[in-house]
Amino acid sequence: MDPNKRPDDMQRITTPELANAFIDEQVESLRAQVGDGKVLLALSGGVDSSVVAALLIKAIGKQLVCVHVNHGLMRKGESEQVVDVFQGQMDANLVYVDAADRFLDLLAGVAEPEAKRKIIGAEFIRVFEEEARKVAGEVGFLAQGTIYPDILESDGVKAHHNVGGLPDDLQFELVEPVKLLFKDEVRVVGRALGLPENMVERQPFPGPGLGVRCLGAITRDRLKALREADAILREEFAAAGLEGRVWQYFVSVPDFRATGVRDGVRAYEWPAIIRAVNTVDAMTAEVPELDWALLKRITARILDEVPGICRVVYDLTPKPIGTIEWE
């Protein structure tokens, strides 16, 4: 049986009882795989890696070392929040690595989406290898929050940094306990593990982060504009009561400019693209009909508060034919 293929008769995890059965099975499997070894976990703070962390803590306790890498492509305030939640609230063995300059230097001038994903994925592994050498005792395992849509989309659609972006000379054995689950199933498992609801329902965020939303070759000024515009979007969605009601929403900023007029003077600046989707399993998605007043308020704030943005547009494309991310 292909270990990366979900069995046709695999029952979907929809209830706490099914989730608990899955947890018991994975705890036993993880203990058998890891033994007395140490595991590094790529902890982004998203639901997938958080559930993997909780599973590993339940299975092997202090043998787990969580590593959060700030690659400079996180949303506004996100790395700070990850440290607060996992160190302060969950008492995780967490290593924080500020590698923003390192990643952005490697990505300078790289415009092709798959090339960006592979650079980010490969550099993540290099960072983990370096951190592993600092951990007392040998680390032989790398845990990841890979889920089933990652595997499916990496076969002919786009490489995910934790699937198609791994280097050939990987020095770790992979630990991927939720790789055959869809996103909705991961959330059910997270609740059964006792994770906080705001963590279980945290909006999905791609491994390459804003690297696949700063479209084309990443520049620091455009990345900064993207981060600020995205923060405004999330603030306004929260104020409108849309958190948890819209599955995913974000801003992308492309690497071309549009003509506008600002204070009576020609402005040659970037457009901001708002993307919002609703989905159950991330394999198909529909675009919600947002309140017109909300869209106008978001547009006004972005144009007024974010230097370098002169237009705001709303993406109406469902999946398929469009993927959720632009890159």
Side-chain angles (χ1 to χ4, degrees):
M1 180 182 295
D2 184 349
N4 292 319
K5 181 173 174 58
R6 185 177 171 117
D8 293 336
D9 61 350
M10 181 174 172
Q11 188 172 11
R12 286 186 64 84
I13 299 173
T14 57
T15 66
E17 293 75 20
L18 291 171
N20 285 324
F22 174 83
I23 291 166
D24 291 342
E25 176 186 318
Q26 286 303 316
V27 165
E28 182 178 349
S29 176
L30 288 166
R31 288 173 178 167
Q33 180 183 5
V34 174
D36 60 358
K38 289 191 175 182
V39 182
L40 279 179
L41 170 63
L43 181 57
S44 68
V47 61
D48 303 329
S49 61
S50 297
V51 169
V52 170
L55 278 170
L56 283 164
I57 290 169
K58 188 176 182 68
I60 63 171
K62 293 299 184 179
Q63 293 168 241
L64 173 66
V65 179
C66 300
V67 179
H68 175 70
V69 179
N70 179 3
H71 48 25
L73 304 167
M74 303 296 288
R75 290 174 290 200
K76 187 174 182 179
E78 194 151 41
S79 283
E80 294 83 353
Q81 184 182 42
V82 167
V83 172
D84 176 65
V85 169
F86 286 95
Q87 277 189 341
Q89 300 178 35
M90 296 185 66
D91 194 31
N93 184 10
L94 176 65
V95 177
Y96 172 75
V97 183
D98 185 354
D101 287 338
R102 176 172 170 173
F103 277 82
L104 294 177
D105 288 346
L106 284 172
L107 290 165
V110 180
E112 207 280 321
E114 290 299 270
K116 290 197 291 185
R117 288 178 180 272
K118 291 180 184 297
I119 287 171
I120 294 167
E123 195 62 17
F124 254 102
I125 301 303
R126 302 302 176 221
V127 172
F128 290 140
E129 288 175 336
E130 292 171 10
E131 293 305 319
R133 288 192 286 270
K134 302 175 186 177
V135 177
E138 183 176 353
V139 176
F141 299 89
L142 173 65
Q144 296 192 130
T146 307
I147 63 174
Y148 201 47
D150 297 340
I151 294 171
L152 294 176
E153 288 196 334
S154 289
D155 183 14
V157 179
K158 59 186 177 184
H160 288 258
H161 81 285
N162 52 353
V163 182
L166 295 174
D168 294 333
D169 60 344
L170 181 67
Q171 300 299 308
F172 303 106
E173 180 180 333
L174 291 179
V175 176
E176 299 176 305
V178 299
K179 70 178 181 180
L180 297 184
L181 302 188
F182 290 102
K183 180 71 74 173
D184 58 313
E185 296 176 297
V186 176
R187 297 190 195 281
V188 178
V189 172
R191 291 189 182 93
L193 284 164
L195 291 175
E197 186 65 19
N198 64 346
M199 187 178 298
V200 172
E201 285 295 333
R202 189 177 186 187
Q203 188 179 136
F205 192 53
L210 298 182
V212 293
R213 296 176 181 174
C214 192
L215 308 178
I218 299 168
T219 61
R220 296 183 188 234
D221 54 352
R222 189 156 48 87
L223 179 62
K224 181 179 179 180
L226 166 60
R227 184 176 286 113
E228 294 298 325
D230 184 76
I232 289 171
L233 177 73
R234 290 189 290 128
E235 286 173 12
E236 290 296 336
F237 267 54
L242 295 178
E243 281 188 322
R245 292 172 53 197
V246 177
W247 188 79
Q248 190 172 19
Y249 43 90
F250 56 88
V251 171
S252 291
V253 177
D255 60 349
F256 61 82
R257 296 175 183 265
T259 299
V261 178
R262 190 183 298 280
D263 298 327
V265 179
R266 178 180 182 268
Y268 194 51
E269 300 172 341
W270 304 296
I273 304 163
I274 295 173
R275 178 77 162 147
V277 295
N278 280 324
T279 183
V280 173
D281 58 12
M283 299 306 296
T284 63
E286 296 296 330
V287 177
E289 295 184 15
L290 298 181
D291 179 71
W292 186 246
L294 172 63
L295 284 172
K296 291 179 70 175
R297 185 164 59 251
I298 293 169
T299 298
R301 283 197 60 192
I302 290 175
L303 295 178
D304 183 57
E305 299 176 29
V306 183
I309 301 292
C310 72
R311 289 176 185 253
V312 179
V313 300
Y314 186 44
D315 181 358
L316 296 174
T317 313
K319 178 181 181 179
I321 186 171
T323 55
I324 293 174
E325 299 288 341
W326 272 58
E327 291 188 343

